[in-house]
Amino acid sequence: MIYEFEGQVPTISKKAYVFENATIIGNVHIGDYVWIGPGAVIRGDYGEISVGSYSAIEDNCVIHARPGEKTSIGEHVTIGHLSVIHTGTIGDYAVIGMNATVSDFATVGKWAAIGEGAVVKNSSKIPEKSIAVGVPAKVLGQVSDEYMKVWEKYKENYNSFCKRYLENLKIAKI
């Protein structure tokens, strides 16, 4: 469902795919070829949210922002199932693992990888190409060229989903 809130209407590229049971509210901007999975909630009721082109917001993610603040998700970003992004900034090509949290005013750099279940605490900064895991998230290594090549392929799969879902997703007749 897509909702206007207090005069703010989400802007969603016609090239994006949003599942029917995802919820998008208010001051939200969705770029080209963004795939938004079932159950995702993107609430621009307090603040502003932007999702850059070619990003994937997987099933049951929650994205929100504090009053008057902004949550910014770059291009080619993967936000894993059940993740929470709250008033954070996610750099291009970053990967946020399943069930991870990026808290208020935290920054995740370009091509950084946040491990499953990790918590990037308030105002933390995860540098470019860093691998951060744990609670709280700590940098344990660097993203390799091989990792980036593999993830470019994974990201292409979600980008292709936009067109494939529009053309091929149908309610099954059982």
Side-chain angles (χ1 to χ4, degrees), residues 4-25:
E4 175 180 342
F5 183 73
E6 295 181 346
Q8 294 287 331
V9 178
T11 58
I12 301 170
S13 168
K14 293 193 183 313
K15 297 176 183 174
Y17 183 85
V18 179
F19 259 84
E20 193 174 288
N21 68 340
T23 303
I24 301 176
I25 301 169

Side-chain angles (χ1 to χ4, degrees), residues 42-64:
I42 304 174
R43 284 182 41 218
D45 51 1
Y46 279 169
E48 178 182 356
I49 297 168
S50 67
V51 181
S53 296
Y54 303 100
S55 291
I57 310 301
E58 295 180 0
D59 314 37
N60 298 310
C61 289
V62 175
I63 302 173
H64 197 226

Side-chain angles (χ1 to χ4, degrees), residues 1 24-25 32 50-51 57 72 103 110 135 138 174:
M1 298 290 296
I24 301 176
I25 301 169
D32 292 342
S50 67
V51 181
I57 310 301
S72 180
S103 195
K110 182 178 181 178
V135 179
K138 294 189 185 320
I174 301 175

Side-chain angles (χ1 to χ4, degrees), residues 36-163:
I36 299 175
V41 177
I42 304 174
R43 284 182 41 218
D45 51 1
Y46 279 169
E48 178 182 356
I49 297 168
S50 67
V51 181
S53 296
Y54 303 100
S55 291
I57 310 301
E58 295 180 0
D59 314 37
N60 298 310
C61 289
V62 175
I63 302 173
H64 197 226
R66 285 181 178 249
E69 300 292 342
K70 183 174 183 178
T71 294
S72 180
I73 296 170
E75 296 187 352
H76 300 276
V77 171
T78 302
I79 308 290
H81 312 288
L82 296 167
S83 292
V84 176
I85 312 297
H86 200 276
T87 318
T89 300
I90 312 296
D92 296 342
Y93 293 94
V95 176
I96 309 301
M98 295 177 286
N99 206 31
T101 298
V102 178
S103 195
D104 294 335
F105 311 111
T107 302
V108 175
K110 182 178 181 178
W111 268 118
I114 306 302
E116 293 87 347
V119 176
V120 180
K121 290 182 4 177
N122 186 306
S123 300
S124 297
K125 299 201 181 324
I126 306 299
E128 266 188 37
K129 296 185 181 180
S130 294
I131 300 169
V133 299
V135 179
K138 294 189 185 320
V139 174
L140 295 183
Q142 295 295 303
V143 168
S144 68
D145 290 341
E146 183 179 324
Y147 173 94
M148 289 188 290
K149 286 179 188 172
V150 168
W151 268 95
E152 282 176 343
K153 295 290 183 201
Y154 293 155
K155 290 170 183 290
E156 286 173 14
N157 286 333
Y158 270 100
N159 297 154
S160 77
F161 276 174
C162 289
K163 183 178 181 197

